[in-house]
Amino acid sequence: MAEDRAEEQRKSYRPIDAKGFRESIGRSWGPVDRSVVLPEGLAEAAAEHRRRLVAALPGRRIAIAAGHAPVRSNDTDYRFRADSDFVWLTGCQAEGAVLVISGDGDATLYLRETAGPDEVDFFANARDGELWIGPVPGLKDWSDALGIACRPLEELPSAVRGAVPFMLATYGVDPVLDGLIRTSPYDGNALRQTLAELRRIKDDWEIAQLREAVDASVQAFADVARELPEAVRGGGERWLEGTFDRRARSAGNGVGYASIVAAGNHAPVLHWVRNDGAVREGDVILLDAGVETRTLYTADVTRTFPVTGVYTDAQRQVYDLVHQAQLAALDAVRPGAPYRAFQYEAMRVLVEGLRDWGLVDVSLDEALGADGQQHRRYVVCGLGHYIGLDVHDCDAARPETYFAADLEVGMALAVEPGLYFHPNDETVPPELRGIGIRIEDNVVVHADRTEILTKDLPITPEGLEQWVRSNLPS
């Protein structure tokens, strides 16, 4: 008997092969809620974005894919995040979906239809089956929510077949779309470039999304400040990263990019995303992080604050100079100003300070000139960029519409001067080594003002010291 039981235990049965399972699994399932709940105004904003694209590329056929979750390992994937251009045009975040805009401007969304209990994929597909992943909106659900025609994904080949008029399509996002357009003339660069240049100007709905992202990020920064004692006790940078992540996930979709939680000597490292170091009393924390809303708009905020609520004299010296640079940069943000103006003004202040400290030994004009740039040893990165659906938004835009253009009403920017003195930089006085300071605000250009979305986070050194102390547990 024991041998028979052991032999039976060695056998493996697949439910999909069992007649009894297959006869029972499709019966007696009640209705489920597959409705799509969208933020107010999203469908209308996406429709207007499509109208703007059609106006910019009249008569062109366009295909753009949502994409798929990248594989983490074996049969596990990273969490899916739809392509930003696709989201801007649809408001949809369905994996594998493809938007096709015909030459006359009509838009159709192609999606995988939901597999019902009478279909094998319902129970046999661990990646897409509803029995495994829960209810998934179907074609009618998406169409009702977005006000756009939706068709089965199987019909996509006929929608993109043919070379006239010339197809504009994304490439490298979805292998299905790639295979369909590979044999036809297509242009992906022109599409991405046009979309990037359209997305430079945010509408009122998009600006509201950015306000939401910043507000949640401000809350997350306060959460981090409250956890500083636990980080010092041993939780370290990891604890603070997890604290920010929790708020980002509960208030939005998650973080908008890999958070930088840099304590002590890590603060000068521009992209310190390992976040695995200790946090010690006397350190400053350079926290560069942003919450991404459920509509995928992200904040990009940095503050550098003292763990104990008081800067050392050396930390304060560096902070004061970066603060002056930030004020100069913000003052230069206005419609009609060259895009590079706010970066120039920040660099000017930084160079003057570094000259006063003896770290730059050339004139201001030489340092800021094409063959100078000696100060960039201590600030090798740029000092700002567009924000929106991507943390570095609109990067596919042509230089003449980005860096060499003027600021316009509706542009949303991150403004982020900083100084970075690495602990092994022997050109720097010993007391300044290992200090990194960055201040990053998110702003929107209006006709009559610059709206500082991050105004609820202080940037003065006194204000940040008080902010830390007020958030520390009593």
Side-chain angles (χ1 to χ4, degrees):
M1 180 69 68
E3 291 180 358
D4 291 343
R5 186 163 53 249
E7 183 63 27
E8 188 67 22
Q9 290 171 349
R10 292 188 183 97
K11 296 179 181 179
S12 176
Y13 301 106
R14 296 200 319 155
I16 192 173
D17 296 328
K19 180 180 177 182
F21 172 79
R22 294 190 63 148
E23 287 180 348
S24 66
I25 192 66
R27 297 197 301 264
S28 303
W29 293 101
V32 297
D33 182 9
R34 294 189 177 89
S35 60
V36 179
V37 179
L38 299 178
E40 184 177 355
L42 183 149
E44 293 80 3
E48 174 60 18
H49 298 162
R50 292 194 298 274
R51 186 200 65 76
R52 289 172 57 191
L53 178 61
V54 169
L57 299 170
R60 310 301 290 274
R61 287 194 308 146
I62 295 166
I64 185 164
H68 295 271
V71 175
R72 188 178 190 274
S73 65
N74 297 326
D75 59 348
T76 59
D77 298 337
Y78 288 102
R79 182 179 291 119
F80 173 66
R81 184 197 187 277
D83 178 271
S84 295
D85 284 331
F86 177 87
V87 170
W88 191 73
L89 292 168
T90 66
C92 175
Q93 297 184 42
E95 187 171 5
V98 178
L99 173 70
V100 175
I101 300 177
S102 65
D104 58 9
D106 290 338
T108 304
L109 195 56
Y110 292 84
L111 305 110
R112 184 192 304 275
E113 181 59 285
T114 304
D118 57 338
E119 299 179 65
V120 173
D121 274 358
F122 173 73
F123 59 85
N125 188 334
R127 192 181 187 283
D128 300 310
E130 282 196 357
L131 197 64
W132 296 85
I133 66 172
V136 178
L139 303 184
K140 185 178 185 303
D141 305 299
W142 281 115
S143 183
D144 290 345
L146 296 172
I148 187 173
C150 293
R151 302 295 302 167
L153 192 60
E154 291 77 9
E155 297 181 11
L156 179 63
S158 62
V160 300
R161 185 178 295 127
V164 181
F166 197 79
M167 173 68 73
L168 296 174
T170 55
Y171 191 81
V173 178
D174 188 311
V176 173
L177 181 59
D178 291 353
L180 291 171
I181 65 175
R182 187 177 289 118
T183 58
S184 302
Y186 73 92
D187 188 336
N189 292 334
L191 177 58
R192 290 296 200 190
Q193 177 181 290
T194 299
L195 284 163
E197 292 174 6
L198 289 173
R199 284 171 49 193
R200 292 177 311 137
I201 308 300
K202 270 57 179 179
D203 54 38
D204 290 344
W205 183 85
E206 292 181 284
I207 293 171
Q209 297 306 302
L210 288 171
R211 292 190 186 109
E212 180 182 324
V214 168
D215 288 347
S217 301
V218 170
Q219 289 182 299
F221 269 70
D223 294 340
V224 168
R226 282 190 286 273
E227 293 297 321
L228 287 171
E230 185 62 36
V232 171
R233 279 193 291 269
E237 294 168 348
R238 294 176 189 265
W239 187 269
L240 301 182
E241 179 184 20
T243 298
F244 193 98
D245 286 357
R246 182 173 60 249
R247 174 69 68 175
R249 189 71 181 130
S250 60
N253 185 57
V255 293
Y257 53 95
S259 301
I260 297 170
V261 187
N265 286 344
H266 295 157
V269 181
L270 292 173
H271 287 171
W272 178 260
V273 294
R274 290 179 244 172
N275 303 337
D276 59 0
V279 175
R280 302 177 178 85
E281 292 187 358
D283 285 347
V284 294
I285 300 285
L286 191 156
L287 177 60
D288 184 336
V291 174
E292 179 181 78
T293 66
R294 292 183 174 90
T295 58
L296 306 189
Y297 286 79
T298 186
D300 181 10
V301 186
T302 308
R303 292 294 186 269
T304 311
F305 47 88
V307 169
T308 59
V310 179
Y311 293 103
T312 66
D313 290 344
Q315 292 164 355
R316 176 64 182 267
Q317 176 186 342
V318 181
Y319 193 96
D320 283 343
L321 181 54
V322 176
H323 180 226
Q324 293 171 29
Q326 179 72 335
L327 295 179
L330 293 173
D331 190 55
V333 175
R334 61 177 66 91
Y339 172 85
R340 293 188 186 275
F342 73 88
Q343 305 198 47
Y344 177 89
E345 290 302 320
M347 285 293 190
R348 177 185 57 77
V349 171
L350 294 176
V351 170
E352 290 175 344
L354 292 169
R355 276 171 46 82
D356 291 342
W357 298 349
L359 296 180
V360 172
D361 59 1
V362 300
S363 70
L364 177 65
D365 289 343
E366 180 179 341
L368 295 177
D371 291 329
Q373 303 296 310
Q374 290 86 348
H375 62 291
R376 298 302 291 268
R377 179 185 181 105
Y378 313 112
V379 52
V380 298
C381 58
L383 302 186
H385 52 83
Y386 293 129
I387 56 172
L389 279 166
D390 296 317
V391 64
H392 294 152
D393 212 29
C394 310
D395 271 4
R398 293 167 296 167
E400 59 265 34
T401 65
Y402 195 155
F403 307 110
D406 292 342
L407 296 179
E408 300 179 47
V409 172
M411 288 182 170
L413 306 166
V415 180
E416 52 174 336
L419 283 173
Y420 311 95
F421 299 132
H422 290 269
N424 61 331
D425 188 343
E426 295 179 352
T427 70
V428 176
E431 66 272 16
L432 298 184
R433 295 175 192 171
I435 296 177
I437 303 289
R438 178 160 67 248
I439 306 170
E440 184 174 21
D441 283 308
N442 297 169
V443 305
V444 175
V445 181
H446 295 283
D448 58 346
R449 64 191 173 97
T450 299
E451 179 183 3
I452 301 177
L453 302 179
T454 42
K455 64 183 183 305
D456 289 338
L457 272 179
I459 64 170
T460 67
E462 299 85 0
L464 271 175
E465 288 178 330
Q466 176 57 36
W467 174 82
V468 171
R469 293 194 297 267
S470 68
N471 280 292
L472 290 174
S474 56

